[in-house]
C-alpha cells in the first residue's frame, strides 16, 4: 500500500475536543493506492498549537471522509478536481468535531506530494 499526502497544510483553527482547546488544524488530501485501486480522502486533525513552535499533532481530534475510490491509479486531473472542492469537505469534517478552520490564517505553506 502506498499512501501519499497529495495536499497538506496547517491553519489556525478553533476546536475544543476531549476538554482540550485546539488552536491549530492540519488539513490533508490523502491518496492511497493498492493493487490497482486508488482512494482519496479528505482529513482534518486539530491540535493544541499553544505557541508558534507547537506543532505536536495529536490523533484524537481527527476526522476523515472518503472522496473517491475506484480501480486505476493517481491522476493529476482528478487530484486538481478534488482540490477544487476540498475546502467545503474539510469544513464539514471540522464541524463534525465541533471546530472551524480559519482559511485566512495559514500557519505554514502548503505541501504537495
Amino acid at each position: 500500500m502506498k499512501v501519499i499526502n497529495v495536499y497538506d497544510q496547517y491553519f489556525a483553527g478553533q476546536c475544543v475536543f476531549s476538554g482540550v482547546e485546539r488552536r491549530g488544524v492540519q488539513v490533508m488530501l490523502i491518496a492511497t493506492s493498492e493493487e490497482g485501486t486508488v482512494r482519496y480522502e479528505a482529513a482534518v486533525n486539530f491540535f493544541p498549537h499553544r505557541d508558534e513552535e507547537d506543532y505536536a499533532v495529536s490523533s484524537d481530534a481527527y476526522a476523515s471522509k472518503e472522496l473517491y475510490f475506484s480501480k486505476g491509479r493517481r491522476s493529476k486531473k482528478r487530484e486538481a478536481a478534488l482540490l477544487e472542492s476540498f475546502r467545503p469537505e474539510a469544513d464539514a469534517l471540522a464541524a463534525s468535531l465541533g471546530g472551524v478552520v480559519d482559511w485566512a490564517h495559514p500557519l505554514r505553506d502548503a505541501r504537495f506530494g
Side-chain angles (χ1 to χ4, degrees), residues 39-58:
R39 176 180 185 256
Y40 289 94
E41 68 179 299
V44 298
N45 193 5
F46 285 92
F47 60 101
H49 194 60
R50 293 180 179 96
D51 59 50
E52 289 184 27
E53 310 230 346
D54 180 13
Y55 286 88
V57 177
S58 58

mmCIF file of all heavy atoms in Angstrom, residues 39-58:
data_model
loop_
_atom_site.group_PDB
_atom_site.id
_atom_site.type_symbol
_atom_site.label_atom_id
_atom_site.label_comp_id
_atom_site.label_asym_id
_atom_site.label_seq_id
_atom_site.Cartn_x
_atom_site.Cartn_y
_atom_site.Cartn_z
ATOM 1 N N ARG A 39 -7.641 5.450 -3.833
ATOM 2 C CA ARG A 39 -8.621 6.010 -2.901
ATOM 3 C C ARG A 39 -8.128 7.385 -2.478
ATOM 4 O O ARG A 39 -6.948 7.556 -2.172
ATOM 5 C CB ARG A 39 -8.722 5.104 -1.680
ATOM 6 C CG ARG A 39 -9.615 5.604 -0.587
ATOM 7 C CD ARG A 39 -9.604 4.590 0.576
ATOM 8 N NE ARG A 39 -10.531 4.968 1.587
ATOM 9 C CZ ARG A 39 -10.196 5.520 2.748
ATOM 10 N NH1 ARG A 39 -8.936 5.743 3.041
ATOM 11 N NH2 ARG A 39 -11.117 5.838 3.618
ATOM 12 N N TYR A 40 -9.022 8.354 -2.472
ATOM 13 C CA TYR A 40 -8.707 9.698 -1.987
ATOM 14 C C TYR A 40 -9.595 9.995 -0.801
ATOM 15 O O TYR A 40 -10.792 9.684 -0.819
ATOM 16 C CB TYR A 40 -8.960 10.749 -3.071
ATOM 17 C CG TYR A 40 -7.972 10.707 -4.207
ATOM 18 C CD1 TYR A 40 -8.246 9.976 -5.352
ATOM 19 C CD2 TYR A 40 -6.771 11.395 -4.125
ATOM 20 C CE1 TYR A 40 -7.345 9.935 -6.402
ATOM 21 C CE2 TYR A 40 -5.855 11.358 -5.180
ATOM 22 C CZ TYR A 40 -6.152 10.632 -6.305
ATOM 23 O OH TYR A 40 -5.250 10.594 -7.341
ATOM 24 N N GLU A 41 -9.014 10.607 0.221
ATOM 25 C CA GLU A 41 -9.807 11.022 1.371
ATOM 26 C C GLU A 41 -9.375 12.404 1.835
ATOM 27 O O GLU A 41 -8.209 12.784 1.697
ATOM 28 C CB GLU A 41 -9.700 10.019 2.519
ATOM 29 C CG GLU A 41 -8.356 9.950 3.174
ATOM 30 C CD GLU A 41 -8.306 8.942 4.322
ATOM 31 O OE1 GLU A 41 -9.047 9.096 5.290
ATOM 32 O OE2 GLU A 41 -7.501 8.014 4.204
ATOM 33 N N ALA A 42 -10.329 13.157 2.341
ATOM 34 C CA ALA A 42 -10.060 14.435 2.983
ATOM 35 C C ALA A 42 -9.953 14.161 4.476
ATOM 36 O O ALA A 42 -10.669 13.303 5.005
ATOM 37 C CB ALA A 42 -11.201 15.418 2.713
ATOM 38 N N ALA A 43 -9.046 14.874 5.144
ATOM 39 C CA ALA A 43 -8.876 14.680 6.583
ATOM 40 C C ALA A 43 -8.541 15.997 7.256
ATOM 41 O O ALA A 43 -7.898 16.869 6.661
ATOM 42 C CB ALA A 43 -7.774 13.657 6.848
ATOM 43 N N VAL A 44 -8.990 16.131 8.495
ATOM 44 C CA VAL A 44 -8.622 17.262 9.350
ATOM 45 C C VAL A 44 -8.163 16.707 10.687
ATOM 46 O O VAL A 44 -8.649 15.669 11.145
ATOM 47 C CB VAL A 44 -9.779 18.266 9.563
ATOM 48 C CG1 VAL A 44 -10.213 18.894 8.252
ATOM 49 C CG2 VAL A 44 -10.959 17.630 10.256
ATOM 50 N N ASN A 45 -7.210 17.400 11.295
ATOM 51 C CA ASN A 45 -6.674 16.970 12.580
ATOM 52 C C ASN A 45 -6.372 18.217 13.420
ATOM 53 O O ASN A 45 -5.436 18.953 13.115
ATOM 54 C CB ASN A 45 -5.406 16.139 12.364
ATOM 55 C CG ASN A 45 -4.972 15.408 13.598
ATOM 56 O OD1 ASN A 45 -5.640 15.432 14.614
ATOM 57 N ND2 ASN A 45 -3.837 14.747 13.516
ATOM 58 N N PHE A 46 -7.172 18.454 14.438
ATOM 59 C CA PHE A 46 -6.976 19.605 15.311
ATOM 60 C C PHE A 46 -5.912 19.291 16.356
ATOM 61 O O PHE A 46 -5.838 18.173 16.860
ATOM 62 C CB PHE A 46 -8.288 19.987 16.008
ATOM 63 C CG PHE A 46 -9.260 20.688 15.098
ATOM 64 C CD1 PHE A 46 -10.211 19.970 14.400
ATOM 65 C CD2 PHE A 46 -9.210 22.055 14.929
ATOM 66 C CE1 PHE A 46 -11.102 20.599 13.552
ATOM 67 C CE2 PHE A 46 -10.086 22.702 14.089
ATOM 68 C CZ PHE A 46 -11.043 21.975 13.398
ATOM 69 N N PHE A 47 -5.091 20.298 16.691
ATOM 70 C CA PHE A 47 -4.042 20.127 17.690
ATOM 71 C C PHE A 47 -3.927 21.409 18.521
ATOM 72 O O PHE A 47 -4.367 22.477 18.093
ATOM 73 C CB PHE A 47 -2.713 19.745 17.033
ATOM 74 C CG PHE A 47 -2.174 20.748 16.042
ATOM 75 C CD1 PHE A 47 -1.170 21.621 16.406
ATOM 76 C CD2 PHE A 47 -2.664 20.805 14.750
ATOM 77 C CE1 PHE A 47 -0.663 22.535 15.503
ATOM 78 C CE2 PHE A 47 -2.162 21.707 13.836
ATOM 79 C CZ PHE A 47 -1.154 22.585 14.216
ATOM 80 N N PRO A 48 -3.340 21.328 19.722
ATOM 81 C CA PRO A 48 -3.347 22.461 20.650
ATOM 82 C C PRO A 48 -2.694 23.742 20.124
ATOM 83 O O PRO A 48 -3.229 24.826 20.336
ATOM 84 C CB PRO A 48 -2.603 21.931 21.877
ATOM 85 C CG PRO A 48 -2.855 20.461 21.839
ATOM 86 C CD PRO A 48 -2.851 20.105 20.375
ATOM 87 N N HIS A 49 -1.558 23.683 19.503
ATOM 88 C CA HIS A 49 -0.829 24.853 18.988
ATOM 89 C C HIS A 49 -0.790 25.971 20.038
ATOM 90 O O HIS A 49 -1.323 27.056 19.844
ATOM 91 C CB HIS A 49 -1.449 25.336 17.674
ATOM 92 C CG HIS A 49 -0.573 26.302 16.930
ATOM 93 N ND1 HIS A 49 0.695 25.975 16.500
ATOM 94 C CD2 HIS A 49 -0.769 27.587 16.561
ATOM 95 C CE1 HIS A 49 1.225 27.014 15.885
ATOM 96 N NE2 HIS A 49 0.357 28.007 15.912
ATOM 97 N N ARG A 50 -0.125 25.670 21.148
ATOM 98 C CA ARG A 50 -0.048 26.603 22.275
ATOM 99 C C ARG A 50 0.855 27.803 22.017
ATOM 100 O O ARG A 50 0.726 28.836 22.653
ATOM 101 C CB ARG A 50 0.398 25.850 23.518
ATOM 102 C CG ARG A 50 -0.642 24.850 23.978
ATOM 103 C CD ARG A 50 -0.205 24.085 25.227
ATOM 104 N NE ARG A 50 -1.252 23.162 25.623
ATOM 105 C CZ ARG A 50 -1.267 21.883 25.286
ATOM 106 N NH1 ARG A 50 -0.296 21.375 24.555
ATOM 107 N NH2 ARG A 50 -2.257 21.111 25.684
ATOM 108 N N ASP A 51 1.810 27.664 21.103
ATOM 109 C CA ASP A 51 2.671 28.779 20.708
ATOM 110 C C ASP A 51 3.112 28.557 19.268
ATOM 111 O O ASP A 51 2.777 27.544 18.649
ATOM 112 C CB ASP A 51 3.875 28.928 21.655
ATOM 113 C CG ASP A 51 4.756 27.691 21.709
ATOM 114 O OD1 ASP A 51 5.137 27.171 20.639
ATOM 115 O OD2 ASP A 51 5.065 27.242 22.822
ATOM 116 N N GLU A 52 3.885 29.496 18.723
ATOM 117 C CA GLU A 52 4.266 29.446 17.309
ATOM 118 C C GLU A 52 5.088 28.221 16.932
ATOM 119 O O GLU A 52 5.174 27.868 15.762
ATOM 120 C CB GLU A 52 5.037 30.705 16.932
ATOM 121 C CG GLU A 52 4.165 31.935 16.878
ATOM 122 C CD GLU A 52 4.942 33.164 16.415
ATOM 123 O OE1 GLU A 52 5.941 33.012 15.689
ATOM 124 O OE2 GLU A 52 4.526 34.265 16.783
ATOM 125 N N GLU A 53 5.695 27.575 17.903
ATOM 126 C CA GLU A 53 6.550 26.419 17.631
ATOM 127 C C GLU A 53 5.868 25.088 17.942
ATOM 128 O O GLU A 53 6.450 24.036 17.712
ATOM 129 C CB GLU A 53 7.837 26.552 18.440
ATOM 130 C CG GLU A 53 8.449 27.921 18.256
ATOM 131 C CD GLU A 53 9.904 27.866 17.908
ATOM 132 O OE1 GLU A 53 10.512 26.814 18.065
ATOM 133 O OE2 GLU A 53 10.406 28.902 17.467
ATOM 134 N N ASP A 54 4.656 25.135 18.462
ATOM 135 C CA ASP A 54 3.952 23.920 18.894
ATOM 136 C C ASP A 54 3.161 23.314 17.735
ATOM 137 O O ASP A 54 2.078 23.776 17.401
ATOM 138 C CB ASP A 54 3.026 24.233 20.068
ATOM 139 C CG ASP A 54 2.268 23.005 20.573
ATOM 140 O OD1 ASP A 54 2.635 21.874 20.180
ATOM 141 O OD2 ASP A 54 1.322 23.182 21.349
ATOM 142 N N TYR A 55 3.745 22.275 17.141
ATOM 143 C CA TYR A 55 3.062 21.526 16.087
ATOM 144 C C TYR A 55 2.921 20.065 16.501
ATOM 145 O O TYR A 55 2.949 19.169 15.668
ATOM 146 C CB TYR A 55 3.819 21.637 14.757
ATOM 147 C CG TYR A 55 3.651 23.001 14.135
ATOM 148 C CD1 TYR A 55 4.516 24.036 14.452
ATOM 149 C CD2 TYR A 55 2.608 23.258 13.268
ATOM 150 C CE1 TYR A 55 4.352 25.298 13.901
ATOM 151 C CE2 TYR A 55 2.431 24.509 12.709
ATOM 152 C CZ TYR A 55 3.314 25.529 13.038
ATOM 153 O OH TYR A 55 3.138 26.777 12.493
ATOM 154 N N ALA A 56 2.754 19.832 17.800
ATOM 155 C CA ALA A 56 2.577 18.476 18.319
ATOM 156 C C ALA A 56 1.163 18.019 17.972
ATOM 157 O O ALA A 56 0.207 18.285 18.692
ATOM 158 C CB ALA A 56 2.806 18.447 19.825
ATOM 159 N N VAL A 57 1.050 17.352 16.851
ATOM 160 C CA VAL A 57 -0.252 16.920 16.354
ATOM 161 C C VAL A 57 -0.663 15.646 17.071
ATOM 162 O O VAL A 57 0.070 14.667 17.092
ATOM 163 C CB VAL A 57 -0.203 16.696 14.826
ATOM 164 C CG1 VAL A 57 -1.532 16.176 14.318
ATOM 165 C CG2 VAL A 57 0.177 17.982 14.120
ATOM 166 N N SER A 58 -1.824 15.691 17.692
ATOM 167 C CA SER A 58 -2.374 14.503 18.343
ATOM 168 C C SER A 58 -3.327 13.826 17.364
ATOM 169 O O SER A 58 -3.689 14.396 16.342
ATOM 170 C CB SER A 58 -3.104 14.900 19.629
ATOM 171 O OG SER A 58 -4.124 15.826 19.331
#
